[in-house]
């Protein structure tokens, strides 16, 4: 009367682990304490672009930089 691990039991345990990980990740992502952290992170793709309020009049007179697509 020992514990027999057949393929159904292993798949069931794997499903349980995935469901628990999904619930834990969902609780972590939708936690209200994380909103400021995620709000800052969503602006990271634009971090290297100059801010429009910092631009000087001399910046407006410069030619736009064009990049070649050739190697």
């Amino acid at each position: 009367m020992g514990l027999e691990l057949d393929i159904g039991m292993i798949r069931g345990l794997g499903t349980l682990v995935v469901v628990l990980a999904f619930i834990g990740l969902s609780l972590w992502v939708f936690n209200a304490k994380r909103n400021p952290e995620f709000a800052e992170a969503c602006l990271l793709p634009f971090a290297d672009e100059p801010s429009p309020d910092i631009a000087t009049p001399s910046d407006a007179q410069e030619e736009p930089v064009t990049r070649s697509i050739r190697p």
Side-chain angles (χ1 to χ4, degrees):
M1 292 212 357
L3 179 66
E4 295 181 27
L5 289 178
D6 61 345
I7 192 69
M9 178 70 81
I10 293 171
R11 287 180 179 169
L13 290 174
T15 303
L16 179 64
V17 168
V18 170
V19 167
L20 290 176
F22 177 77
I23 291 171
L25 185 62
S26 297
L27 291 174
W28 178 75
V29 167
F30 293 109
N31 189 352
K33 288 191 249 180
R34 301 245 184 247
N35 281 343
E37 184 179 334
F38 288 140
E40 182 181 342
C42 76
L43 296 175
L44 283 177
F46 308 108
D48 59 345
E49 295 180 5
S51 172
D53 56 342
I54 300 176
T56 60
S58 64
D59 292 339
Q61 297 172 358
E62 291 181 12
E63 291 286 325
V65 178
T66 56
R67 295 184 181 154
S68 173
I69 58 172
R70 291 188 221 163

